[in-house]
Amino acid sequence: QLQESGPGLVKPSETLSLTCTVAGGSISSSRYYWGWIRQPPGKGLEWIGIFYYNGATYYNPSLKSRAAISVDTSKNEFSLRLSSVTAADTAVYYCARRPKYYYDNSGHYTSSGSLNFDSWGQGTLVSVSS
Amino acid sequence: QSALTQPPSASGSLGRSVTISCTGTSSDVGGYKSVSWYQQHPGKAPRLMIYEVSQRPAGVPDRISGSKSGNTASLTVSRLQAEDEADYYCSSYAGKNNWVFGGGTKLTVV
């Protein structure tokens, strides 16, 4: 289970900070990536970033280095910071889990290339407004 | 503007089938076997329905299927049920540890 938490309102130009607490599984597991996805009201999904237990972290290039994911393994949680926010960053923010491997049709344990988030938090709405 | 193109809406009758398309380019859909599909009901988190073009996660019924031809991926929902009415999003790997989503398709079951 994943649960997002953080302020529901952020002022323009400030930094959005959210935390995802994971229960029932370790974020240090080699079996999964963990990530953030957002969805502006009435619009589609946008992936923000994902990380792997070995420190590998990838971000959506469209966010132009504004996003940063950090990890606290002692609390089994990870966080998102998004700097210099504008109204366009108003969205429901989700944290999710992405399996690194799957069994293909031949029964081989294979690395997945899809954005296959199989477990999601309920999402938290963050509004950017003064 | 989304990187992958989906029809804004689709509809099908109860018990029949419907196919939703997801068109990209040779740099994403056409270049990798890494397409996924999500179902999202209003106010809910997305649910993974298909990954790696045609793989179904545990718990997804076999009347849900995925395929790909060239730069276009497709999601087919057979034997439509009322609960299938939802928004559907496709996603594809686009290289260099980047992924893209489609704009979403609202499926109506009539």
Side-chain angles (χ1 to χ4, degrees):
Chain A
Q1 292 181 341
L2 299 94
Q3 178 69 56
E4 306 89 349
S5 60
L9 181 64
V10 181
K11 290 182 168 54
S13 80
E14 295 190 346
T15 297
L16 177 160
S17 295
L18 295 172
T19 295
C20 180
T21 302
V22 179
S26 172
I27 62 173
S28 299
S29 170
S30 61
R31 296 175 59 190
Y32 302 107
Y33 289 91
W34 305 87
W36 290 95
I37 306 95
R38 70 179 182 179
Q39 184 173 34
K43 296 187 179 181
L45 301 168
E46 179 182 34
W47 80 283
I48 299 171
I50 61 171
F51 77 91
Y52 193 50
Y53 83 105
N54 65 357
T57 309
Y58 310 108
Y59 298 102
N60 189 327
S62 70
L63 292 172
K64 296 181 182 178
S65 303
R66 292 194 298 128
I69 295 175
S70 59
V71 180
D72 187 336
T73 55
S74 67
K75 296 181 179 179
N76 210 40
E77 60 185 34
F78 60 100
S79 299
L80 171 70
R81 288 174 59 85
L82 185 65
S83 62
S84 305
V85 298
T86 69
D89 295 308
T90 293
V92 175
Y93 285 76
Y94 297 98
C95 60
R97 181 188 77 178
R98 175 187 173 229
K100 180 170 173 57
Y101 301 101
Y102 73 105
Y103 286 99
D104 64 17
N105 292 336
S106 300
H108 296 119
Y109 201 44
T110 303
S111 181
S112 173
S114 297
L115 205 57
N116 53 328
F117 290 110
D118 69 346
S119 183
W120 294 62
Q122 65 184 25
T124 186
L125 175 63
V126 179
S127 299
V128 178
S129 175
S130 54
Chain B
Q1 188 170 358
S2 301
L4 305 180
T5 300
Q6 297 181 237
S9 62
S11 64
S13 301
L14 276 171
R16 304 300 292 266
S17 297
V18 66
T19 296
I20 299 171
S21 64
C22 171
T23 301
T25 68
S26 58
S27 297
D28 38 63
V29 175
Y32 306 94
K33 295 180 180 179
S34 300
V35 175
S36 56
W37 289 89
Y38 292 90
Q39 175 194 64
Q40 186 179 35
H41 288 108
K44 301 295 186 180
R47 175 192 179 192
L48 182 67
M49 305 300 280
I50 293 286
Y51 66 99
E52 306 301 322
V53 177
S54 60
Q55 300 289 323
R56 275 188 306 275
V60 173
D62 61 5
R63 60 188 186 82
I64 306 293
S65 62
S67 62
K68 189 187 81 156
S69 177
N71 296 337
T72 298
S74 299
L75 176 75
T76 297
V77 183
S78 303
R79 303 188 296 282
L80 275 167
Q81 301 179 4
E83 67 202 46
D84 298 325
E85 186 161 296
D87 294 327
Y88 290 82
Y89 294 92
C90 64
S91 173
S92 173
Y93 183 61
K96 298 182 179 179
N97 296 306
N98 187 27
W99 291 264
V100 291
F101 276 100
T105 298
K106 182 177 179 60
L107 174 61
T108 301
V109 180
V110 299

